[in-house]
Each structure stands twice: as C-alpha cells, then as structure tokens.
Amino acid sequence: MTESNQKALDAQAADQQNEGSEAESTAPSPMTTVERAQLLLDQDAAIGKRVEQGAALDDAIDPSNAEFGANAHPEQVQMRVAKRAMMLKEGLEPYPVHLDVTTTIEALRSQYDGTLEAGEETQDVVGIAGRVLFLRNGGGLCFAQLASGDGTRIQAMISKREIGADSLKQFKQLVDLGDHLFVRGRVIASKTGELSVFATDWSIAAKSLQPLPALHKELNEEQRTRKPYIAMIADEHIRNMVRRRSATVASLRRTFGGHDFLEVETPMLQTVHGGAAARPFTTHMNAFDIDLFLRIAPELFLKRCLVGGIDRVFEINRNFRNEGVDATHAPEFTMLEAYQAYGTYDTIADLVKELIQQSAKDAFGSTTVTLTDGSEYDFGGEWKTMTMYGSLSEALGEEITPETSVQHLRAIADKLGLERETAENHGKLVEHLWEHFWEDKLYEPTFVRDFPVETSPLVKSHRSIPGVVEKWDLYVRGFELATGYSELNDPVVQRQRFVEQAKLAMAGDVEAMDIDEDFLEALGVGMPPAGGMGMGIDRLLIALTGATIRETITFPLVKPRNQI
C-alpha cells in the first residue's frame, strides 16, 4: 500500500471520529448479536486468507463490502485487520506477552525535560511504550508521538540509518494511529529541541483495529458516554475525572480511618428493600426461587453492625434506584454511608464537613476548587445552617409548623401551581413547598435541618420540637449533596413508622419502604444512640468539579442502540 493511500485512510478514519462507516450506521439488515459476530469473524478470516496467499494490503480488503454487506467491518477496520494478518504472516506478534519496557514516559520526561540542548544526544538507552497519537512517515526518518495513560507524550524517531531499510518499510506499512508501540533507543533532543527516543528497535505492543476519533475535535455526548474508553484517550478532562474520583474516594477512606471507622460490605441483593424512599429494581434468584431487590441503600445492614458492637462503620458501594435520569440522578450510583455510635446529627454534620473539605484538599489541592465553567467554589470556612419549617415560613410570609393541616398545605401548593403526588401527607407537602422556594437557591454549602417526621421513617424524633425529626440535608450549588440523622433506635417507634410507610405504599406511593421484620428484631437486641450520614460519591464529584453525573461516572449506563 502506498504512503499516500495510508494517509488518506488515516484522515478518513479521523473524520469519522470512531463512529464507524456509513454502512454500519445505516445497518439495513437487522442481525442478532451472534449472527453479526460470526459475520465479522468470517470477514476477518477472508482478509487473512488473502494476505496469506500473497495479496497486498489494498487487495486484501473489500472497500465496498460487496461480499459481506453493510453490517461488516468498515474499510478502515478491514485495513487494520489486514495489517494484523500481515504481521502474523511475517512472524510478528501483534499482541506480544512481554516487552522490555525499562521506564515510563512520565519518568523520562521528569528526568530529562529541560536538561538537553537542541540536537544534544545521550548514550542512555531506554525502552518505552505508549499509544501512537501522531505519525509522520517521510523519507528515511519517521516520527511518532507516543502517549502514556495519563496523557504524557514523548517523540519517537525511527531512522533508516539506525534500524535499516526493511524495518523502516515495515514501520510505515504496519503502524497506525492508536497502536501501542514499543521503542528502544537512545535519549536525545531533536534539532528542534523535542525530547525524543532515537530508536534502534521497535515493535507493536498492541495492534489497534478501530480508528481513533479526530483528536483535534471535541467529542460529542455519544462518544463520551457510550465509549468512555475513547473519551479517556482523547480528552484529558475525562482522564482527570477518573483520577480525581479515585483520589477523592481514597481521601474519604483516610479520613474515616483517622476517626477509627471500619469499612464493611453489605448485601446488594436483599429480600426487603429499605433504608431510603426510592423505587427499587427487582430480580429473581433461581436457586431459592424468590424475588429479590437490588439495594437502594445499605442503611439497615450498617445499623445491624452497630447492634453487633461495631460502633463506627462505613461503606462505599453501589446502590440502584429505578427512577429518573438527569444531571444529578443515575439508576446505578456509588453511595457512602456511615454510622457512629453515641453520635448525633450535629456530630455527623461536623464529620461530613471534614470529609468534604479534606477530599477537596487531597484531590484538588485546596478547599477552593475550579469548576468546569471556569468559576471557583469555596468549601472552606464555616457552613450556613437553616431550618426547614423556619425557612419555608419566611418564604411564604406565614408560619408553617408540624401542626399545619394537610388541607391548608394543599391549598398553598395549588395556589402556587405545584404538581401534587398521588399519595400525600403533611411531610411530603412541606418538603415539596420548601423545594419550590429554596432548593435551587442554596448556592453556598448549607445544612437544612429538622424535617417532618412523615418523610423520615428512620430518624429519631427531635429532642424538643414535636412532629420534627433530627435530620439535615446538605445543599451545595442548588442540589442536595448529603443527608445526616440522629438515628432512630426504638424498635417500637420504628415498627410504627414502617407500618405508616406500608400504608403509604398501599395508597400508591411506589417509593415507600417495606416492613423489615429482621431489622426490627435486630433493633430489639439493642442499638446504641447513633448519628448517621449518606452521600453520593458521584454527587460529591459533581460538587467538586461542576460536571454532570454522567461525566463523573466512569462507565455510565446508556440505552442500547437498538432501543433508541
């Protein structure tokens, strides 16, 4: 294949931005997954057979897909499959087990950046590997830009004089953008001053069969969410999100460790859904022939740990809620919950503030973070506090208390034009009205305290205000980030709350909790007074970065193409 043909194919592949060929996107002939997989295997075999029989790369492929149709590989993928076959024919392993990598691109940059003059050469021989993000094949000297996983780049120089004419011809013929490439050679600075490895040997570390998107163009939402591995290669912001998420979770664990909390794991498959007001996902266990729920919260099992004598406990793990999807909600998300014996919602508020402020310092270097829109947000200092009933009364210009009737609250909601739920009570109406006036107004970190008892079935009643529970929600930049309780530990009152929830469920509330008799029995053994909290890890990243929830989740759930 000529060099001009290769450049044309690379340009065409980049312009398509990893979307596949026009034939693939139109997909005129519906096929099952197995049928299409077999079709692609048959095409791979046909290309390989033609290469084995001596066909040139251009002759080994079928650009029109006349034989295999529109569901088969696009032309660019066919060409890369042919190159893989060519490597195998020539005894070159396209996916070798081991390569003599002696250092990383990051370490090489750290050691040599700023130390070499333009044109200066060293006798230091290194073996490095990275993904090819740029190629310039011309004459007797080729250039390849290699990138490590974190995006650090270095130049490889492949010279006919150094590696020989045959090896250089192979390089030009076989190496594509996106390949993982191994290079061994001397560390030098090019004539333009670019830190480089002047190759004495090279090999493909992993052949890329799919073309990369055009790296100079911004990825679309489809590529970011459906193919996050492409986004990680092309967009440093996506790579940084993965690293910052990891640093944030590590920070949370360190802070908990500093306060003598133990990390535990609780069941994700549960016979009774509880611990939060949410619609669950259901599944079926064949071995026991029973229906199960994917957990909506770990709360009731973590409280069992308190009963068992583990006085400070936390968990970071997945929750599943069969509800809506928007910028702050996802059906599968990571939840942090923690419980501390002899704590209250006041002590838990102090802990949550420390967790968030420390994670900002550890992952971003400061309690003042820079959001995606370029603005700054400060998590430092003291945080505001307000009460739900007090702030709602202020907004309405009349006093609202736990004694305010449901009828009066309905009349206010109707006057404001608020949509009402099928199953309503005093607490739901109060929270609905409060959200109307305040939810998106709370920009700086604010604890909203003292909620209606009807909407908080797992929370201890307020020490001095009847009809109110000791609960707070933490709001940041107009959305709820975390919640904290003084935990209910009276099994008789808890049973009453569960019964009230069951009645709401029978009245049509799909988010109401079930009665969990096993949990009630555990409470009967005796759970110490405790404070507890819950915070979505994805929402914490939203708060720290200004991204959407899909951007904070490394592999967000997306609807399959055949159902769009």
Side-chain angles (χ1 to χ4, degrees):
M1 184 178 63
T2 65
E3 183 179 336
S4 60
N5 286 344
Q6 178 63 61
K7 288 182 177 179
L9 282 177
D10 285 341
Q12 186 176 357
D15 285 341
Q16 287 179 336
Q17 296 190 60
N18 211 47
E19 287 299 303
S21 70
E22 180 180 347
E24 185 179 38
S25 65
T26 55
S29 302
M31 304 182 76
T32 67
T33 301
V34 174
E35 287 172 340
R36 184 162 191 267
Q38 186 60 57
L39 175 74
L40 297 179
L41 282 174
D42 292 344
Q43 189 176 34
D44 292 343
I47 292 171
K49 182 178 181 180
R50 286 193 284 268
V51 169
E52 186 65 29
Q53 291 174 343
L57 292 173
D58 284 332
D59 297 328
I61 68 172
D62 178 12
S64 65
N65 265 335
E67 181 180 357
F68 292 96
N71 284 311
H73 288 310
E75 181 180 357
Q76 293 75 32
V77 176
Q78 290 184 57
M79 179 58 69
R80 289 166 183 247
V81 169
K83 292 181 180 183
R84 173 187 177 277
M86 184 71 72
M87 292 181 67
L88 292 172
K89 179 184 177 182
E90 296 179 1
L92 303 175
E93 176 54 62
Y95 306 99
V97 175
H98 174 74
L99 294 159
D100 189 20
V101 176
T102 63
T103 188
T104 64
I105 296 174
E106 299 94 324
L108 205 61
R109 280 282 182 195
S110 177
Q111 181 178 354
Y112 290 99
D113 268 347
T115 65
L116 302 179
E117 299 291 334
E120 184 177 351
E121 300 187 7
T122 76
Q123 296 305 309
D124 301 335
V125 176
V126 297
I128 62 167
R131 187 182 293 274
V132 179
L133 297 186
F134 173 80
L135 273 175
R136 189 167 81 231
N137 293 336
L141 182 62
C142 297
F143 297 88
Q145 188 179 74
L146 307 184
S148 64
D150 74 350
T152 304
R153 303 186 183 191
I154 199 165
Q155 180 172 267
M157 300 172 64
I158 296 90
S159 167
K160 176 180 176 181
R161 174 172 56 86
E162 194 74 19
I163 66 171
D166 291 342
S167 181
L168 183 66
K169 179 181 178 181
Q170 275 190 330
F171 181 89
K172 292 181 179 181
Q173 184 180 50
L174 299 176
V175 176
D176 290 303
L177 294 177
D179 289 351
H180 286 272
L181 185 69
F182 168 77
V183 174
R184 178 169 40 238
R186 292 180 292 111
V187 179
I188 69 168
S190 69
K191 293 180 180 179
T192 60
E194 179 67 29
L195 183 65
S196 307
V197 174
F198 195 67
T200 57
D201 185 25
W202 68 272
S203 59
I204 290 177
K207 183 64 188 171
S208 172
L209 301 185
Q210 296 288 336
L212 291 179
L215 300 181
H216 62 281
K217 296 181 180 179
E218 185 174 348
L219 298 179
N220 58 40
E221 185 66 16
E222 168 85 356
Q223 292 167 320
R224 288 179 180 275
T225 57
R226 195 172 295 280
K227 301 178 180 180
Y229 48 89
I230 293 294
M232 294 177 204
I233 297 169
D235 191 336
E236 65 176 339
H237 299 294
I238 303 297
R239 291 195 300 272
N240 289 341
M241 180 65 75
V242 177
R243 288 178 168 80
R244 286 171 171 169
R245 184 184 179 105
S246 178
T248 298
V249 172
S251 173
L252 294 171
R253 286 194 163 101
R254 283 194 299 271
T255 300
F256 277 120
H259 288 282
D260 298 324
F261 279 74
L262 295 182
E263 183 173 8
V264 300
E265 296 173 342
T266 63
M268 291 190 184
L269 290 174
Q270 302 180 355
T271 56
V272 178
H273 68 88
R279 173 182 280 185
F281 287 93
T282 59
T283 186
H284 186 80
M285 181 179 177
N286 292 332
F288 291 172
D289 192 23
I290 58 173
D291 289 332
L292 294 171
F293 301 99
L294 296 182
R295 76 166 178 208
I296 58 176
E299 177 169 345
L300 302 186
F301 284 92
L302 291 175
K303 286 181 175 178
R304 287 171 169 88
C305 291
L306 295 183
V307 173
I310 303 174
D311 285 346
R312 298 187 177 204
V313 62
F314 78 98
E315 181 175 17
I316 300 174
N317 217 318
R318 309 297 271 184
N319 283 357
F320 308 86
R321 298 184 182 180
N322 197 1
E323 299 174 337
V325 177
D326 57 31
T328 59
H329 293 84
E332 177 184 2
F333 61 98
T334 304
M335 174 64 80
L336 159 66
E337 288 200 17
Y339 297 86
Q340 178 181 346
Y342 305 104
T344 67
Y345 76 151
D346 296 311
T347 57
I348 285 293
D350 293 335
L351 174 63
V352 167
K353 186 173 77 167
E354 180 183 351
L355 287 166
I356 295 172
Q357 290 179 340
Q358 191 60 50
S359 63
K361 293 176 186 176
D362 290 343
F364 299 86
S366 170
T367 57
T368 299
V369 297
T370 301
L371 305 178
T372 54
D373 63 3
S375 64
E376 291 188 341
Y377 188 88
D378 186 11
F379 285 96
E382 295 301 316
W383 292 355
K384 286 178 59 177
T385 296
M386 63 195 300
T387 65
M388 175 161 284
Y389 280 97
S391 55
L392 178 57
S393 298
E394 176 187 338
L396 285 172
E398 65 171 286
E399 187 175 13
I400 302 296
T401 72
E403 287 74 40
T404 302
S405 70
V406 170
Q407 291 76 14
H408 185 59
L409 294 172
R410 283 175 178 165
I412 295 173
D414 290 342
K415 184 177 179 180
L416 293 170
L418 301 185
E419 184 178 344
R420 302 222 313 264
E421 298 182 19
T422 303
E424 291 180 326
N425 56 35
H426 170 92
K428 281 181 172 288
L429 287 164
V430 166
E431 289 194 17
H432 199 183
L433 289 167
W434 183 90
E435 290 167 359
H436 171 74
F437 286 107
W438 285 103
E439 183 172 32
D440 59 358
K441 307 293 192 303
L442 301 179
Y443 186 78
E444 62 182 292
T446 304
F447 288 108
V448 182
R449 294 163 56 98
D450 302 339
F451 279 59
V453 66
E454 294 90 349
T455 56
S456 308
L458 299 168
V459 189
K460 185 167 284 188
S461 295
H462 198 281
R463 281 162 275 185
S464 60
I465 308 175
V468 170
V469 294
E470 293 195 352
K471 169 186 173 179
W472 53 255
D473 279 352
L474 172 63
Y475 279 82
V476 170
R477 292 181 33 244
F479 68 90
E480 179 194 338
L481 174 56
T483 189
Y485 303 165
S486 293
E487 299 296 338
L488 177 57
N489 62 339
D490 183 332
V492 174
V493 175
Q494 185 64 81
R495 188 183 299 278
Q496 293 172 348
R497 301 273 186 87
F498 277 159
V499 169
E500 290 163 3
Q501 285 285 298
K503 290 177 180 178
L504 286 173
M506 288 187 291
D509 188 345
V510 296
E511 295 184 347
M513 298 182 199
D514 282 345
I515 298 174
D516 190 332
E517 286 292 346
D518 184 74
F519 174 66
L520 290 169
E521 184 176 340
L523 277 189
V525 175
M527 187 184 96
M533 60 79 64
M535 176 170 61
I537 298 298
D538 317 300
R539 287 200 173 196
L540 177 56
L541 268 294
I542 293 171
L544 292 170
T545 65
T548 66
I549 195 167
R550 278 196 168 193
E551 292 169 326
T552 70
I553 297 174
T554 308
F555 294 97
L557 179 67
V558 293
K559 197 171 185 179
R561 289 184 185 277
N562 60 3
Q563 295 182 19
I564 294 176

